Structures are given as structure tokens and as C-alpha cells.
Amino acid sequence: MIEKYKREAASDVVYNLEYNSERQRLIIPEYGRHLQKLIDQATAIEDDETRNKAAKYIIQVMGSLNPHLRDVPDFQHKLWDQLFIMSDFKLNVESPYPIPSREVLELKPDVLQYPQNFPKYRFYGNNIKYMIDVANKWEEGEMKNALVMVIANHMKKSFLSWNKDTVKDDVIFEHLYELSGGKINLLHSTEELLNTTDLMRTNKRVSNKTTQGGQVKIQNNKNNKGSKQKNFQKNSNQK
């Protein structure tokens, strides 16, 4: 019997199954194991010309996975870099781009220094403190006075979002004086901030509302006063 059509025992087939957990780890799993095997075979080729042809063929196969980016120069550079990475930097071919090194790839970025701020009034946020510091650097004048009032109103709005009760302007002015280091003094000022209702006002003019069933309920237009609903009744004379 021909070896190709030789019947095998089911127990032998199950015994010879190859699980992914037993296979070699894929460096870039997105390309699959078949492409990884192609790169391993190209790495093992001894002839330089044949090995370079195989590398260019593999680049074409990798680019076919994303045909809309295949001819983009930056994307070609990325494919060549991934080719050397998947070969574990063992592939010796001529590349149109600089060949990456393992040392550069394994470099770790510097630790990002997060700002460590522990404000006394956290409900104002760090942006308010930044705005106050900017206002301290401005020269006295109308522009600075306008900026200070904007900051004070925003502080009052932030305070109300944390405490739903009303707040007096004197409290905001005291906090502003403290956060500015005594450079912005509105304690004896006659300026008044926006009232609570204006700061917490929400727009209730909604034309469409969604019901619980997910259907859109359209409100009737009050301007169409002349339109009347027509009731169609069956004429008793019709047979």
C-alpha cells in the first residue's frame, strides 16, 4: 500500500498531537506560526543571495496582511524591523533600512515623574492652583481683575459640586487669599460672585426624550396650534 494512503491508528494520531504550549514561543504572535517558520527557514539558508531573496519574499507576505499600508515607506521600515526581531536578530541579510539591535529594543524608558500635589482643598483641583499662580505673575490691571473673578467663580462652582449647599462669597475669597499666598486679596472687596442658581443651572429644554423601552418620544410642537387631528369615520352610506 502507498505510504500516503496508509491508515493510521486513532490512538497514534492523538498521541502525536502537538500542542501550542509545547511549541516554541512566538515573538510576534500577530503574524502566526507559519510566518515564524518561514523566517526560521530563511535564517538557516547558507547562500547569501538565496537568503536575501527569501527575506524580500517574507516582507511581501507580511505586507499582504495589510495591503493598504504595503507601499507606505514608514510601514516598510516597520516590516523590516519586525523581520529582524522575529528572527531573534540572527537573520543576516541586506536591509534598505538601519538594522535594529537587541540593546536598543530592550531599553526601558525613564520613569515618568508624576506631580505629587497634596492640596488642602482638593475639591478645587490642581488647575485652579495653576490658574492662581499665573494670575499672581500678571501685572495689576483690568485683565488681571477679570481673570481673578473667573477663578473665583470657578472656585465657587467647584465648591458647590462638592457641597450641594449654598456657600458665601466670603468663604471663596478667604480660600483664594490662602491659595494665592496673600497676593490676591478680595476679603474687603465689594465684588459679588454669581449666585448658586446660575452656577448650577442645567438646560432643561430637551426636544426629544428617550422612554424606558428605548423608543424616542417626540414632544408635540406647541407652535402648530392650527393643526387638528383628523378622525376618519366610516361613512354609513357606503356599501
Side-chain angles (χ1 to χ4, degrees):
M1 179 181 292
I2 303 175
E3 188 69 21
K4 180 179 179 181
Y5 301 104
K6 184 178 179 181
R7 179 177 296 180
E8 298 181 358
S11 58
D12 296 339
V13 175
V14 175
Y15 180 77
N16 294 324
L17 283 176
E18 186 179 5
Y19 295 94
N20 286 332
S21 59
E22 300 175 353
R23 295 177 177 178
Q24 184 181 0
R25 184 183 66 86
L26 294 177
I27 300 176
I28 303 180
E30 290 79 3
Y31 287 105
R33 191 167 298 277
H34 294 294
L35 189 63
Q36 182 66 52
K37 290 182 178 180
L38 282 176
I39 296 175
D40 296 339
Q41 293 175 4
T43 306
I45 297 176
E46 297 180 358
D47 184 57
D48 295 341
E49 184 178 357
T50 306
R51 188 168 58 252
N52 281 283
K53 289 182 179 179
K56 293 180 181 179
Y57 170 74
I58 294 173
I59 289 295
Q60 293 179 0
V61 174
M62 294 170 64
S64 63
L65 300 177
N66 297 287
H68 59 288
L69 299 174
R70 184 167 48 192
D71 299 328
V72 179
D74 294 340
F75 185 69
Q76 287 288 322
H77 192 180
K78 179 181 179 181
L79 292 180
W80 279 97
D81 289 347
Q82 291 178 343
L83 176 63
F84 289 108
I85 293 172
M86 293 176 67
S87 67
D88 198 17
F89 302 95
K90 298 178 182 178
L91 183 62
N92 184 15
V93 294
E94 297 178 359
S95 172
Y97 305 97
I99 299 177
S101 61
R102 188 188 302 273
E103 292 76 13
V104 176
L105 185 65
E106 293 179 353
L107 285 177
K108 295 183 179 180
D110 297 334
V111 179
L112 183 61
Q113 298 295 334
Y114 288 95
Q116 301 296 332
N117 295 327
F118 303 97
K120 182 178 180 180
Y121 307 107
R122 294 190 176 184
F123 45 85
Y124 289 137
N126 293 327
N127 290 333
I128 286 292
K129 185 63 174 65
Y130 174 75
M131 293 173 65
I132 293 174
D133 295 339
V134 172
N136 288 334
K137 299 177 182 179
W138 284 20
E139 297 181 357
E140 297 294 336
E142 296 181 359
M143 294 293 294
K144 181 176 181 179
N145 295 334
L147 178 60
V148 169
M149 292 306 300
V150 170
I151 295 173
N153 282 306
H154 193 73
M155 290 175 62
K156 186 174 181 179
K157 184 176 181 180
S158 300
F159 189 98
L160 291 172
S161 64
W162 169 72
N163 185 3
K164 297 302 181 182
D165 297 334
T166 184
V167 57
K168 295 183 179 180
D169 295 349
D170 297 339
V171 177
I172 302 298
F173 293 156
E174 290 177 2
H175 292 173
L176 181 60
Y177 179 80
E178 182 178 355
L179 294 175
S180 64
K183 296 181 181 180
I184 300 178
N185 188 357
L186 298 178
L187 298 177
H188 304 288
S189 176
T190 58
E191 296 286 348
E192 293 184 358
L193 302 178
L194 296 176
N195 54 40
T196 305
T197 55
D198 291 338
L199 289 173
M200 305 302 293
R201 180 180 299 171
T202 56
N203 186 8
K204 298 181 179 180
R205 298 178 181 178
V206 182
S207 59
N208 297 332
K209 293 183 180 180
T210 305
T211 59
Q212 296 180 356
Q215 298 179 355
V216 178
K217 180 181 179 181
I218 303 177
Q219 294 181 352
N220 296 329
N221 190 354
K222 297 181 180 180
N223 296 329
N224 299 332
K225 296 182 180 180
S227 60
K228 296 181 179 180
Q229 185 178 3
K230 296 182 180 180
N231 297 326
F232 295 93
Q233 299 180 355
K234 185 176 179 181
N235 191 353
S236 58
N237 297 328
Q238 293 180 357
K239 295 181 180 181

